[in-house]
Amino acid sequence: MDSNYRRIILSAVRGKWEAGNVRRTLALLELRRSRGYPPREQENVKYKGANPHLVLGEKEFLHAITSIQSAQLPLRRSRNIYLHESTFSESALDNPTRYLDAILINMSKRGVPLRPDMAARMLDCYASTGRTGRAIHYFYKVRRDPVEDDGTYIPGPHPTHLGKEGLEDWKTEKRGEGVTRVLATAVSENVSNGLDGDESKEGELGLKGLDDDDSETQSSMPTQSNRRSKIRMAMQPLPPFHKIPSSVKGVPLIRNRYQPITNEGPSKANETSSDEVQNKTMTKYEWELDRDWSLALTAAFAFADSLTHGACGHDPIELDIVGWNILIKACCRRGAIHRALKILNETMPQKGVEPDTYSYNTILAALARVGDTRYLQEYLIGMTNKGVKVDKYTAQAMVDGFLNVGDIQGATSLVQDIFNQHDTLPPYTSHLKIIEFALANGLIFEAKRHVYFIQQLWKWQPSQHHDEKFCQLMEETKRNPKLSREAVLKLFRYFGEDLSDQDFF
């Protein structure tokens, strides 16, 4: 009976972590401790659901850690990046230190030692709450311009605010200037499977029409009010200079509590009130160290420091490569990229821990999100000089960074260079993204240039110098239906363009 009761309680623990109910999970852990039940043992490693990285007694504590991350899911999905993180009511989930301390105390009282692997899983709770506004910038919006019934398209934003007559006069004027062109895709009277609304979701190219089959009486172009529309990308201004790490490296900045940082000196508005004189000259790295930058990030480093000195009855431990990588990820998601670079370049080497591919990929992805192409290139070179392996996520981050700033030609050349020098390719979505960006910006030649590169991948043949893993990658790329000739033709038709037999070899 006692063993059945223990199983019931453990099942309840599992149910609570799956539901993300943190407090009830911790209450059940305490109940198991008070009843004297031993910690749940790991299943046999031959079992399908076994985790070979866990040791005896760690399983139920892993459930408790997972419950915290499950509860953080709404925060990851719906975080308002325009508000400071301190305004969120879910501050306990944004800064889960007290929950993690409770788990550590329960582990200590039940004789389960803390290992670097479990410490890294705990630290990941600080890095799994999503990105804040300081780590994100929207580089473009997707617009949809109408296409006339005869297939004529006038590039650029259409002044709909002029009214119907004013819009017609504008079209007549543009036709007289000779800026119009006829789209290659044949005009269709029966157009369906389009998209609704004047604008697709900000920062995303809607490709719903690509999932539907074409017929002789259908066009794969999107529609608006039963009329075809041309997808166009409107580039936004670049991020403010203080968001780009390479722009503020070592530069003294003026920061105060009430106004954004500037390099133009103190604000006159602050001279009137002594209570508001918060101006202080500091570097961007010093500002990121400030507690007010991110309370959750400050708590993450304080928690990591406590683990290295012995926390909640446990012996002191040293973080391994996984733990340091998670701290880098936490910095990048809070926009503290300089702090992440400090860990990568100085802290980890001082601790005798060599950065790996994941360390660099996390940094590169963060730099790509703010469009810092200068640092992207520098750290890619530094990565290769140190012999760190370049993988598909490295290439993906580089492509995203160049596309965000509108350097489509650079992104295409970069993919080819990484392929030739490092025998790797980005995920197939990056190939499609390059073509989409080129077509949405009217760079038809660049789109066809990347299609030519994809065709070279189709024709690739292995040699004795290629290893088995690379050959497998190439075969998967060649067989990928999303990169087939039919898929590429469909993608071009979606943007109102066409590929002829001369574009293929």
Side-chain angles (χ1 to χ4, degrees):
M1 183 68 180
D2 185 61
S3 62
N4 291 334
Y5 186 66
R6 278 185 284 178
R7 281 196 294 270
I8 292 174
I9 295 179
L10 185 63
S11 299
V13 172
R14 184 182 297 110
K16 298 308 179 187
W17 75 256
E18 289 176 347
N21 197 324
V22 183
R23 290 183 176 87
R24 290 190 178 184
T25 300
L26 298 179
L28 288 171
L29 278 182
E30 183 61 22
L31 176 61
R32 286 177 58 81
R33 185 203 64 78
S34 64
R35 295 292 179 91
Y37 298 149
R40 173 73 173 184
E41 295 184 356
Q42 168 71 339
E43 297 100 332
N44 190 306
V45 293
K46 295 182 179 180
Y47 177 62
K48 182 179 179 181
N51 190 331
H53 300 291
L54 296 181
V55 299
L56 297 181
E58 290 184 342
K59 181 179 179 181
E60 63 184 74
F61 300 106
L62 177 61
H63 288 338
I65 295 172
T66 307
S67 72
I68 299 174
Q69 295 178 325
S70 298
Q72 291 171 338
L73 181 60
L75 190 58
R76 291 197 297 273
R77 289 182 172 178
S78 59
R79 176 188 289 273
N80 189 336
I81 65 170
Y82 300 104
L83 296 178
H84 193 271
E85 62 188 57
S86 62
T87 62
F88 292 111
S89 59
E90 303 91 341
S91 57
L93 296 175
D94 219 26
N95 178 13
T97 302
R98 61 175 179 172
Y99 297 145
L100 297 175
D101 285 343
I103 295 174
L104 285 172
I105 292 173
N106 197 289
M107 291 174 62
S108 177
K109 291 182 177 180
R110 299 171 73 183
V112 179
L114 178 65
R115 298 185 304 114
D117 184 69
M118 285 294 289
R121 293 173 185 269
M122 291 182 174
L123 287 173
D124 196 37
C125 294
Y126 295 94
S128 58
T129 55
R131 296 178 177 85
T132 64
R134 286 169 169 160
I136 298 175
H137 182 75
Y138 292 111
F139 288 89
Y140 62 90
K141 290 184 177 181
V142 178
R143 304 293 188 184
R144 303 196 312 158
D145 297 334
V147 177
E148 304 302 316
D149 295 336
D150 59 355
T152 302
Y153 166 64
I154 304 176
H158 289 218
T160 54
H161 63 281
L162 297 178
K164 186 175 181 180
E165 295 183 358
L167 183 60
E168 291 299 326
D169 294 339
W170 176 83
K171 291 181 181 179
T172 302
E173 179 181 354
K174 289 296 181 181
R175 287 191 179 97
E177 295 176 358
V179 298
T180 62
R181 68 187 188 90
V182 178
L183 297 182
T185 304
V187 181
S188 170
E189 297 180 358
N190 182 18
V191 182
S192 61
N193 299 324
L195 301 175
D196 297 328
D198 293 337
E199 179 180 328
S200 64
K201 186 178 180 180
E202 185 176 285
E204 296 181 4
L205 288 178
L207 296 179
K208 182 178 178 182
L210 291 179
D211 297 330
D212 301 302
D213 294 333
D214 289 339
S215 66
E216 293 181 356
T217 59
Q218 287 184 327
S219 168
S220 58
M221 289 191 66
T223 60
Q224 173 187 347
S225 303
N226 205 27
R227 293 181 60 185
R228 291 192 307 165
S229 58
K230 170 74 172 174
I231 298 294
R232 176 177 58 84
M233 185 180 294
M235 300 302 295
Q236 301 277 77
L238 293 177
F241 79 99
H242 58 80
K243 260 191 173 184
I244 305 176
S246 63
S247 299
V248 292
K249 179 182 179 181
V251 177
L253 303 172
I254 302 299
R255 184 204 70 125
N256 78 51
R257 171 190 277 174
Y258 306 102
Q259 296 181 358
I261 59 176
T262 175
N263 58 356
E264 298 178 355
S267 170
K268 294 183 179 180
N270 294 330
E271 298 176 357
T272 58
S273 173
S274 60
D275 186 47
E276 294 184 356
V277 178
Q278 301 288 339
N279 290 340
K280 183 179 179 181
T281 301
M282 58 175 60
T283 64
K284 181 69 180 300
Y285 172 70
E286 292 173 337
W287 186 29
E288 293 172 356
L289 290 176
D290 195 291
R291 182 174 180 271
D292 292 335
W293 176 271
S294 170
L295 297 178
L297 188 59
T298 302
F301 278 89
F303 183 76
D305 188 59
S306 69
L307 297 180
T308 60
H309 289 83
C312 303
H314 291 276
D315 294 332
I317 65 169
E318 290 294 334
L319 297 181
D320 58 7
I321 180 64
V322 180
W324 286 114
N325 284 344
I326 289 176
L327 285 177
I328 289 177
K329 182 170 72 169
C331 291
C332 291
R333 294 199 168 187
R334 305 283 173 169
I337 303 180
H338 284 281
R339 197 168 184 178
L341 294 175
K342 185 81 169 182
I343 296 174
L344 180 79
N345 297 326
E346 299 183 18
T347 307
M348 292 176 68
Q350 291 173 358
K351 298 291 184 179
V353 180
E354 290 297 327
D356 60 4
T357 302
Y358 187 90
S359 310
Y360 279 95
N361 286 351
T362 305
I363 295 288
L364 293 176
L367 294 172
R369 289 184 177 275
V370 294
D372 194 344
T373 55
R374 175 185 167 188
Y375 263 11
L376 278 173
Q377 293 174 307
E378 286 187 14
Y379 277 88
L380 177 64
I381 295 173
M383 178 180 182
T384 56
N385 289 343
K386 292 181 179 180
V388 181
K389 182 176 176 54
V390 174
D391 64 8
K392 63 179 181 179
Y393 299 109
T394 310
Q396 182 183 39
M398 298 296 297
V399 169
D400 290 346
F402 277 79
L403 290 181
N404 280 340
V405 297
D407 189 356
I408 301 169
Q409 180 180 0
T412 303
S413 301
L414 190 65
V415 171
Q416 299 178 18
D417 292 341
I418 291 178
F419 174 74
N420 294 328
Q421 297 176 19
H422 303 286
D423 289 342
T424 190
L425 289 169
Y428 79 91
T429 52
S430 294
H431 296 290
L432 299 179
K433 193 173 183 179
I434 291 175
I435 298 175
E436 293 168 14
F437 267 66
L439 294 175
N441 284 279
L443 303 177
I444 313 302
F445 174 78
E446 288 299 326
K448 292 184 177 181
R449 186 162 80 97
H450 198 72
V451 170
Y452 185 83
F453 172 69
I454 293 176
Q455 293 180 70
Q456 290 178 317
L457 301 181
W458 297 343
K459 304 292 184 180
W460 180 88
Q461 295 296 329
S463 69
Q464 60 181 357
H465 304 292
H466 297 114
D467 57 25
E468 182 179 355
K469 187 175 181 180
F470 179 67
C471 293
Q472 181 181 0
L473 168 66
M474 293 303 300
E475 289 300 322
E476 292 176 353
T477 303
K478 292 166 65 175
R479 294 194 305 263
N480 193 328
K482 299 294 185 180
L483 297 179
S484 64
R485 173 170 177 158
E486 293 74 16
V488 173
L489 288 171
K490 203 170 192 179
L491 180 58
F492 269 72
R493 285 197 298 269
Y494 179 82
F495 285 90
E497 307 298 337
D498 208 351
L499 290 173
S500 63
D501 293 337
Q502 297 178 350
D503 296 315
F504 294 92
F505 58 82

